Amino acid sequence: MIQEIRYAFRNLTKNRGFTFVAIITLALAIGASTALFSLIKDAYFEGLPYPHPRELLTLSAEFAKMGNAEMPISGPEFLAVREQSHSLASVTALVGTSFNLTGEGDAVRFRGLRATGSLFEMLRVQPFLGRVFTKEEQREGSDRVAVISYRLWQRALGGAPNVIGRQLQLNDVAYTVLGVMPPRFRYGDNDVWIPLSLDLARQDRTVRDIYCHARLAPGATVESVNAELTAIAHRLEQDFGGTIPEYAGW
C-alpha cells in the first residue's frame, strides 16, 4: 500500500499540470456540493410552516450501558424535564396514534397525535378556523375534542363550512371539532390532534412511549439544554438507579 501511494505521488509530481487541474476540479466540486447542501438545509428550515423553526427540538433518551439511543421517555421522565428545565419552553408530550373516521361515507384511516396542550403554543401557529385545544382540555371528561388538518377537512368532510362544533366519530368515539389548521400546516404526516389526557405522573417509569418536543427558551442554546438534561438525568439516576437498573448511565 505504501509503495502504491509513493508511486502515485511520483506520477502526480511529474504531471503537475494534470495535478493542478485535478485539484482545482475537486475543490470546485466540493465547494459546490457544500454550497448546495447549505442551500437545501436553509430551504428546508425556511420552508417549515412554523415561526423560528430552528428553535424546535426533539428530546430523546440514551441508555449508554444498554446500547440504546434515541429512545422515547416515560411520563414521569417527561414531567421531570418540563419542571426542572429552564432552557426549554412549551415542553410537549406526544403519543402517535391512528384514527378510523366513520360516519362520513366510507371509513377512512388518518394518522394523528395525542398531545399536551402546549403543542400549538410551541409551534406558534394559529388555526385556519376555530381554535386549538388548551391545557384545561387535557383533563379526562374534557378531552373529547379534536383539531383537524385542512387536508382532512377537505378530503373527508368536503370542506363543510359548519365544521366547527361538528361531531366526528374517531375510533367509534365522538369528538367535537374545535379547529382546522391552515393548508400548509404539517407536523409529521398527521391529520388529527387530540388532548393527551393520561396521568403522566402515575405512569410506569419503564414504559417509554412519550415523544418529547420543545422550543428553546429565550437566550438558551442547545448546549445549555444538553447541560440541563444531563443534570436531570444524574438526579434521576441518584433517586431511582437502585431500583431501576437502566437509569445507570442514562
Side-chain angles (χ1 to χ4, degrees):
M1 178 67 76
I2 294 175
Q3 290 179 345
E4 291 175 355
I5 293 173
R6 287 174 177 168
Y7 176 74
F9 182 75
R10 283 199 299 270
N11 282 337
L12 287 173
T13 56
K14 288 178 182 178
N15 299 284
R16 295 187 178 182
F18 170 78
T19 302
F20 177 76
V21 172
I23 291 172
I24 292 298
T25 302
L26 281 171
L28 290 173
I30 292 170
S33 298
T34 302
L36 182 61
F37 174 76
S38 298
L39 286 172
I40 291 172
K41 188 174 74 169
D42 289 342
Y44 171 77
F45 278 113
E46 293 306 318
L48 292 174
Y50 333 111
H52 309 294
R54 292 175 186 270
E55 296 177 358
L56 296 175
L57 304 175
T58 298
L59 282 62
S60 58
E62 178 179 351
F63 300 93
K65 294 188 178 181
M66 300 173 63
N68 295 328
E70 297 187 6
M71 296 281 291
I73 61 178
S74 68
E77 291 162 358
F78 166 79
L79 294 177
V81 170
R82 189 178 68 180
E83 292 164 6
Q84 297 178 36
S85 173
H86 303 288
S87 295
L88 294 172
S90 305
V91 183
T92 301
L94 304 165
V95 176
T97 188
S98 59
F99 297 98
N100 284 323
L101 173 62
T102 55
E104 304 291 340
D106 293 337
V108 185
R109 194 167 184 82
F110 291 98
R111 292 183 61 181
L113 289 173
R114 299 178 184 272
T116 49
S118 52
L119 171 63
F120 298 102
E121 174 187 286
M122 175 187 73
L123 296 176
R124 300 178 184 173
V125 178
Q126 296 299 314
F128 180 73
L129 295 175
R131 66 175 179 88
V132 297
F133 53 79
T134 64
K135 296 175 183 177
E136 288 70 28
E137 283 159 327
Q138 283 179 228
R139 299 191 185 97
E140 192 170 354
S142 303
D143 58 341
R144 298 300 188 214
V145 294
V147 175
I148 63 174
S149 70
Y150 187 93
R151 180 172 68 175
L152 187 155
W153 178 44
Q154 295 295 318
R155 176 182 164 190
L157 305 178
N162 62 341
V163 64
I164 304 302
R166 185 167 174 170
Q167 296 274 306
L168 294 185
Q169 292 293 321
L170 300 172
N171 293 345
D172 296 324
V173 176
Y175 286 81
T176 301
V177 177
L178 292 181
V180 176
M181 296 308 289
R184 285 190 65 243
F185 178 82
R186 303 301 302 157
Y187 201 62
D189 190 25
N190 297 295
D191 290 286
V192 184
W193 298 270
I194 66 172
L196 180 64
S197 57
L198 298 175
D199 188 344
L200 297 175
R202 293 181 178 273
Q203 266 199 325
D204 188 333
R205 287 183 173 273
T206 63
V207 177
R208 296 185 170 88
D209 57 359
I210 302 291
Y211 289 88
C212 184
H213 294 187
R215 186 177 282 274
L216 281 175
T221 64
V222 172
E223 290 74 21
S224 66
V225 170
N226 279 326
E228 276 192 339
L229 294 179
T230 298
I232 293 169
H234 286 329
R235 284 194 288 273
L236 290 175
E237 181 178 7
Q238 291 171 357
D239 292 341
F240 301 102
T243 54
I244 304 178
E246 59 204 59
Y247 271 128
W250 188 58

